[in-house]
Amino acid sequence: MRRGWVSVVLASVVLAGSVVGLGLNGRGGSVEAAAKPSFSDISGHWAESSIETAVQAGVLNGYSDGTYKPNNTITRAELLKVMALTFKLEVGTGGSTWYAPYQTALSKAGVYMEGDYPGNLNNPATRNEMAKLAVRGEYTDYRSKKLSAAELMFRAVNKGILSRSGTKAETINTEGTTTRAEAAVLVTRLLKLTNGGTLTVDQGASSAAEIAWHRHNMITMFDQNDLVKLPYSVDISKKYNVTIDKLIILDPADTKGYYAEYLKGATYYPADNSKPSDNYLFAYKIIGKNLVTDNSTQIVTKSFAMFTDEYTGANIMLADKYIYRDGTLSERTGLFKNDKEFVFNKPNSLAHNYIFALVPKKYINQQIAQYGGLPIHLERYNVGSGSASQFYLTGVKDKWY
């Protein structure tokens, strides 16, 4: 649910040599459109058009020397004011600091929550702190809710308000400081939403933010949030237990997606001779643990299989550099395969690995149409078929339930 807007009744002030504010008529009226700005230091800058838009909207301005200083950081206090002006909150006067009226206005609106900005408000704002105000301000459903910073960052990225800060999808840089250029981009995106526009969502960055929040990216990929809470532990046999630590769904067609670099050089084995781009890759990051010490063995990647009707058995082989044959079952960076059997010779030993399942997109679409969501139906190995072999990670279940 989108927010309603009310008028701002406080004119702009000068902050440390810069002007960060709106041109107002002094009577609570609407923002006066400014002429196209001319700054000596934004020509060719990646955020040039956003800076011009935010300044013309009256939310941001430059310095008295004719510069904008796009790469300078913006403080938490300055961001409070920018957000109050962007959301056109009713702002009073007075207070022990220049920013107190803006902080009060945001607090009354449920946009700013106690504890959002621990410490000195004159410190540079982080991307997480920017996400908190942007999401609560833009969407009334999130106002006055004490949500985790990880969830608010995901909501911001998933709605297109924020995106990656580097070339890789996972570079969402939650604790990175925010520049005046980035603040202008944020304002421009929020204004676009206000005017009925839509934003482009960085799917890879959304996956990264969602996985950082709750260890899967089902909302990003399928708009589905009925998974069990991860990590999730399940007994595979009386001898062996597996914890599903993460579920990462990758799209081989998205060369800039989350973990895309780990799919380079991979060999695909689809069940229907389709192209890799016609499938999704389900990567189950698992941690095995032995429950006995009888020197029996377990192939960790044969703990369970993803049930997908006639498509069961489709798979992928990572490039050789991601396959480790060093005799350990250690945790690694990114996607990997540890090529070693798990020997149950020490109590409660741990074995790290991934289980991969290649699933056709058309099959997933059929399942969602039939069941209202994708059933993630897993089958234990070495167990006779039936209820004893099955377990689900989703609330929605298929016809084999």
Side-chain angles (χ1 to χ4, degrees):
M1 183 176 181
R2 293 289 294 281
R3 53 171 164 70
W5 286 49
V6 294
S7 63
V8 180
V9 293
L10 189 67
S12 63
V13 297
V14 177
L15 307 176
S18 67
V19 179
V20 185
L22 286 170
L24 301 176
N25 61 18
R27 296 185 298 275
S30 60
V31 177
E32 297 171 359
K36 183 176 180 179
S38 178
F39 298 116
S40 61
D41 58 349
I42 67 169
S43 180
H45 192 277
W46 64 269
E48 180 180 2
S49 63
S50 293
I51 292 168
E52 291 175 344
T53 298
V55 171
Q56 283 184 287
V59 178
L60 289 163
N61 213 322
Y63 289 78
S64 57
D65 63 357
T67 64
Y68 181 80
K69 296 181 172 46
N71 299 323
N72 280 15
T73 57
I74 187 169
T75 69
R76 293 162 158 181
E78 291 170 335
L79 187 61
L80 289 173
K81 178 172 183 178
V82 169
M83 291 293 95
L85 297 179
T86 299
F87 298 129
K88 297 186 178 179
L89 300 180
E90 186 173 352
V91 181
T93 58
S96 58
T97 61
W98 68 263
Y99 57 79
Y102 303 100
Q103 187 175 16
T104 298
L106 290 165
S107 296
K108 287 182 177 178
V111 176
Y112 179 84
M113 303 285 291
E114 184 179 356
D116 275 353
Y117 290 180
N120 192 336
L121 266 68
N122 290 313
N123 288 338
T126 67
R127 285 168 58 82
N128 251 337
E129 292 165 347
M130 183 164 61
K132 292 175 182 179
L133 300 186
V135 171
R136 291 204 200 100
E138 185 63 33
Y139 299 95
T140 56
D141 288 349
Y142 299 109
R143 290 196 179 184
S144 301
K145 291 186 178 179
K146 193 70 174 179
L147 304 176
S148 69
E151 178 175 357
L152 287 167
M153 173 57 74
F154 164 67
R155 300 298 179 190
V157 178
N158 184 246
K159 294 179 182 299
I161 296 171
L162 296 180
S163 54
R164 70 187 72 188
S165 57
T167 56
K168 293 183 180 180
E170 47 268 37
T171 55
I172 51 178
N173 195 19
T174 57
E175 295 304 316
T177 55
T178 300
T179 65
R180 286 170 52 80
E182 290 169 335
V185 172
L186 175 66
V187 168
T188 301
R189 290 176 180 176
L190 293 171
L191 291 175
K192 185 175 182 179
L193 289 175
T194 298
N195 292 327
T198 57
L199 300 177
T200 300
V201 176
D202 183 337
Q203 187 179 72
S206 179
S207 286
E210 186 179 358
I211 291 164
W213 170 34
H214 61 183
R215 313 182 82 81
H216 67 74
N217 58 335
M218 285 285 287
I219 300 174
T220 297
M221 303 305 289
F222 308 125
D223 196 24
Q224 185 172 337
N225 192 25
D226 65 340
L227 249 67
V228 298
K229 185 177 180 180
L230 300 181
Y232 180 71
S233 181
V234 60
D235 288 338
I236 301 301
S237 69
K238 292 181 179 180
K239 293 184 176 184
Y240 178 60
N241 173 281
V242 156
T243 295
I244 300 174
D245 183 54
K246 292 180 182 178
L247 170 56
I248 303 171
I249 300 131
L250 299 102
D251 184 354
D254 186 359
T255 58
K256 295 183 179 180
Y258 183 75
Y259 273 7
E261 66 270 30
Y262 295 101
L263 298 184
K264 291 181 179 178
T267 303
Y268 292 85
Y269 301 97
D272 58 355
N273 297 316
S274 61
K275 296 182 294 184
S277 58
D278 295 330
N279 298 267
Y280 285 116
L281 176 63
F282 286 69
Y284 297 88
K285 187 177 182 182
I286 64 170
I287 304 170
K289 183 174 74 171
N290 59 300
L291 306 177
V292 298
T293 52
D294 61 358
N295 289 314
S296 58
T297 62
Q298 170 74 43
I299 299 174
V300 177
T301 55
K302 297 293 184 181
S303 299
F304 60 81
M306 185 172 176
F307 180 81
T308 53
D309 292 351
E310 66 268 29
Y311 299 111
T312 298
N315 213 325
I316 182 176
M317 181 65 73
L318 299 177
D320 194 62
K321 63 181 176 179
Y322 301 126
I323 301 174
Y324 295 87
R325 301 179 177 89
D326 56 6
T328 69
L329 290 162
S330 304
E331 167 74 359
R332 316 283 186 176
T333 300
L335 300 183
F336 61 86
K337 178 184 177 184
N338 283 321
D339 194 15
K340 183 184 184 302
E341 278 193 314
F342 187 17
V343 181
F344 301 165
N345 57 10
K346 292 182 181 179
N348 298 319
S349 296
L350 300 181
H352 299 263
N353 230 319
Y354 270 94
I355 293 176
F356 299 118
L358 198 62
V359 185
K361 293 176 180 177
K362 64 180 181 181
Y363 171 79
I364 290 174
N365 292 335
Q366 289 167 359
Q367 292 283 288
I368 293 173
Q370 182 175 356
Y371 299 111
L374 175 66
I376 297 186
H377 173 174
L378 305 178
E379 291 278 340
R380 297 173 177 85
Y381 274 93
N382 303 318
V383 177
S385 61
S387 60
S389 66
Q390 302 171 1
F391 64 101
Y392 290 81
L393 297 188
T394 51
V396 61
K397 296 177 173 60
D398 55 29
K399 64 183 179 181
W400 303 101
Y401 168 58

